[in-house]
Amino acid sequence: MLNQVEKTRQNKRLALAAAGVFGEIARANRTLSTMTTSTGSRRINWPSVITVISAAILIGAEVFGAAFAGGWALSILFGLDTFGEHVLQVVLFLCGVAVMAAFMRTAARVEPFTRKG
């Protein structure tokens, strides 16, 4: 039983040592990549641009469709007339615009549109 405990402790020490080594490797690579900067021009990263535009089209269709359908459904629920329905749809549409703007800002941060070189 004592041998099993010793083996477990030794495995944990080796795992911690290996994690420390990999941490140093990752840290060294990160420092190198931040130290080397290129003064060249920036190029458009087309795969990222196409990915973000495609996602924006899909998400926009869902958000704005939900805004109009939600305005219609809520106007029936609250017994609003046609004018009230349209006002509610405009309010929900503006909320959809805010959602899409936030999505595009975040997507541009995650998927950079340009790259160096």
Side-chain angles (χ1 to χ4, degrees), residues 2-106:
L2 190 56
N3 256 346
Q4 187 64 23
V5 171
E6 285 297 320
K7 285 182 182 179
T8 304
R9 284 184 185 160
Q10 186 177 8
N11 286 341
K12 284 183 182 178
R13 274 183 280 184
L14 289 174
L16 290 175
V21 171
F22 289 125
E24 292 299 321
I25 291 170
R27 221 174 281 120
N29 285 344
R30 190 175 321 136
T31 326
L32 273 175
S33 67
T34 55
M35 288 174 51
T36 58
T37 56
S38 170
T39 58
S41 64
R42 299 184 74 78
R43 292 185 173 180
I44 295 175
N45 191 4
W46 285 110
S48 293
V49 172
I50 292 171
T51 300
V52 170
I53 289 173
S54 300
I57 290 170
L58 177 66
I59 293 170
E62 293 175 3
V63 166
F64 297 127
F68 285 115
W72 171 77
L74 289 174
S75 69
I76 291 174
L77 180 68
F78 295 132
L80 302 176
D81 60 344
T82 306
F83 180 74
E85 176 183 346
H86 291 302
V87 169
L88 195 54
Q89 285 176 339
V90 167
V91 169
L92 292 176
F93 179 82
L94 292 175
C95 291
V97 169
V99 167
M100 286 306 299
F103 169 76
M104 290 302 291
R105 274 195 312 264
T106 305

